[in-house]
Amino acid sequence: LVQQLVAVQATVTGIVATTTTCIESMQDREKFWQEKYNAEHEKAKKLEILYTATNRENTELIKTSAPQGPVLNEDQFFDAIEETLEKMDNLDKNLECLEIVKKKEEDSSAGDNAGDKKNHRMYSQMQELINKYIELSKQDPEAEPSWQVLSKSGETKIYRKEEQKGDVLMDFLVATTLVEGVTAAEMTEVFHSKELKLKWDHTIEGDKLLETLDDHCAVYHQILKRVWPAAQRDIVYASHKQQLDIQSGEEHPSWIVCNVSCDHPSKPESDSSYTRASIEVVMFCQTIGKGPSRKDIKCKIVYSASVNPGGWAP
């Protein structure tokens, strides 16, 4: 139980730290393109002023026929026009890049689930788990006598609840926390994405994609780093990310990620040189608040991890 508690605390801390880094990276990117846009816009204004002043000067010189300075000939005039147009094209390209960056963030927040296939073999199991955690997210552990508080640290709280699975009575651990300045869509993307996960979860030695079930669900083979003197573990699991329907009283859609052990013919347990572990990990995320800046939003997280390390001896 202590090991599970430490693992839950470490995972939540890692997710929060990585999400903070991602937010800072996105803010730096937005600042870079905004500065780029401002610089190009200022250049365009200066060129326009220079062109207007030069054109006015040339007009006055032609009218007075006074030798007060060089007059642009036809070739020089059109070269200046071409240079100005090129500057404007570069400005348009930079603006387009800025729009692409913003569009990606909007798409991430929108969470289009159009690519889901509701007939893949893990879908029913995932939906049962999702329904369970939707109900769990509505509960108030502080008011439920069946929940026991194990740890409190700021907004992060860890609870334990006994749960009957068949003939076995198991400890059910749940962590809740609030993360400022991030949306539910962004948080679940950090947790679900294979590339981002390798940046914050330092217990992973390798993670290989075995099968894509739909746009938001795939099967992976994960090898965990060995912790001496225990034997090295591996896991075959399906990872499913889903946007949930907006419920009454909510302003934003919630998101959920489910990581559940499964079998796969390409990685049978009998052929594994590692001790096969099994997991049931779920993270439910809900965006709270609204406003023009990230300071106006928070992400409520309900996280649970049930791990069977497998095997008898280390």
Side-chain angles (χ1 to χ4, degrees):
L1 178 62
V2 173
Q3 292 178 346
Q4 289 184 346
L5 177 60
V6 172
V8 170
Q9 288 178 317
T11 302
V12 173
T13 302
I15 293 171
V16 172
T18 304
T19 304
T20 302
T21 302
C22 290
I23 293 171
E24 292 174 352
S25 176
M26 286 188 291
Q27 289 175 339
D28 290 342
R29 182 177 57 188
E30 291 174 356
K31 183 180 179 181
F32 169 77
W33 284 114
Q34 188 63 45
E35 290 176 350
K36 199 75 167 165
Y37 166 76
N38 291 339
E40 293 296 337
H41 186 66
E42 190 64 28
K43 287 180 182 179
K45 286 178 64 177
K46 288 181 179 179
L47 282 171
E48 184 178 355
I49 294 170
L50 179 61
Y51 166 72
T52 302
T54 304
N55 192 37
R56 186 185 302 113
E57 182 181 351
N58 289 337
T59 302
E60 292 175 356
L61 286 172
I62 292 171
K63 287 181 178 180
T64 60
S65 299
Q68 297 177 1
V71 178
L72 294 177
N73 60 34
E74 186 175 350
D75 290 338
Q76 291 173 331
F77 176 77
F78 283 108
D79 286 343
I81 294 294
E82 186 177 349
E83 183 180 352
T84 302
L85 291 174
E86 185 178 350
K87 290 284 186 179
M88 296 303 294
D89 287 340
N90 291 335
L91 178 60
D92 289 338
K93 289 179 181 178
N94 288 332
L95 286 172
E96 185 178 351
C97 290
L98 183 60
E99 289 300 322
I100 290 173
V101 170
K102 290 182 177 179
K103 182 67 166 57
K104 285 183 178 179
E105 293 175 359
E106 290 171 359
D107 290 344
S108 176
S109 298
D112 182 9
N113 283 335
D116 288 347
K117 299 175 184 177
K118 297 186 178 181
N119 57 352
H120 66 72
R121 65 178 183 277
M122 297 294 296
Y123 187 81
S124 297
Q125 182 179 353
M126 293 297 185
Q127 294 310 304
E128 290 180 7
L129 201 57
I130 287 171
N131 291 335
K132 171 184 174 181
Y133 276 84
I134 289 175
E135 292 302 317
L136 181 66
S137 68
K138 298 177 182 177
Q139 297 181 19
D140 181 8
E142 300 285 349
E144 294 284 342
S146 58
W147 290 93
Q148 178 184 353
V149 180
L150 294 182
S151 174
K152 284 187 178 182
S153 177
E155 295 288 356
T156 302
K157 302 172 184 177
I158 300 178
Y159 304 91
R160 183 182 71 177
K161 181 181 181 181
E162 291 185 344
E163 187 177 72
Q164 190 79 28
K165 283 193 174 182
D167 297 331
V168 180
L169 186 65
M170 299 184 64
D171 283 328
F172 185 58
L173 295 180
V174 174
T176 65
T177 190
L178 282 175
V179 181
E180 295 184 354
V182 64
T183 66
E186 292 168 337
M187 179 62 77
T188 50
E189 179 62 21
V190 170
F191 188 72
H192 176 73
S193 169
K194 173 187 172 184
E195 291 74 17
L196 293 176
K197 181 177 289 188
L198 292 174
K199 293 182 179 180
W200 62 263
D201 193 342
H202 303 296
T203 65
I204 300 174
E205 182 174 294
D207 203 5
K208 180 181 178 181
L209 175 66
L210 300 180
E211 182 183 357
T212 300
L213 300 178
D214 66 28
D215 290 349
H216 299 283
C217 188
V219 180
Y220 297 92
H221 177 236
Q222 188 177 100
I223 300 173
L224 304 176
K225 292 180 180 179
R226 185 185 179 191
V227 180
W228 189 88
Q232 194 168 11
R233 261 68 178 175
D234 72 341
I235 309 167
V236 175
Y237 69 99
S239 183
H240 176 81
K241 181 179 75 169
Q242 183 173 323
Q243 175 185 313
L244 306 177
D245 295 333
I246 297 180
Q247 303 296 316
S248 176
E250 294 181 351
E251 297 178 342
H252 308 280
S254 298
W255 283 80
I256 194 167
V257 176
C258 302
N259 294 338
V260 182
S261 287
C262 64
D263 296 322
H264 198 273
S266 67
K267 291 291 180 181
E269 183 176 358
S270 57
D271 293 348
S272 177
S273 58
Y274 308 98
T275 300
R276 180 65 52 86
S278 61
I279 61 170
E280 183 182 288
V281 178
V282 179
M283 187 169 76
F284 171 90
C285 296
Q286 180 183 13
T287 304
I288 300 174
K290 62 178 181 179
S293 76
R294 290 187 175 274
K295 295 179 181 179
D296 301 317
I297 60 172
K298 294 181 180 180
C299 180
K300 174 188 174 182
I301 300 174
V302 179
Y303 174 84
S304 173
S306 176
V307 181
N308 183 349
W312 275 92

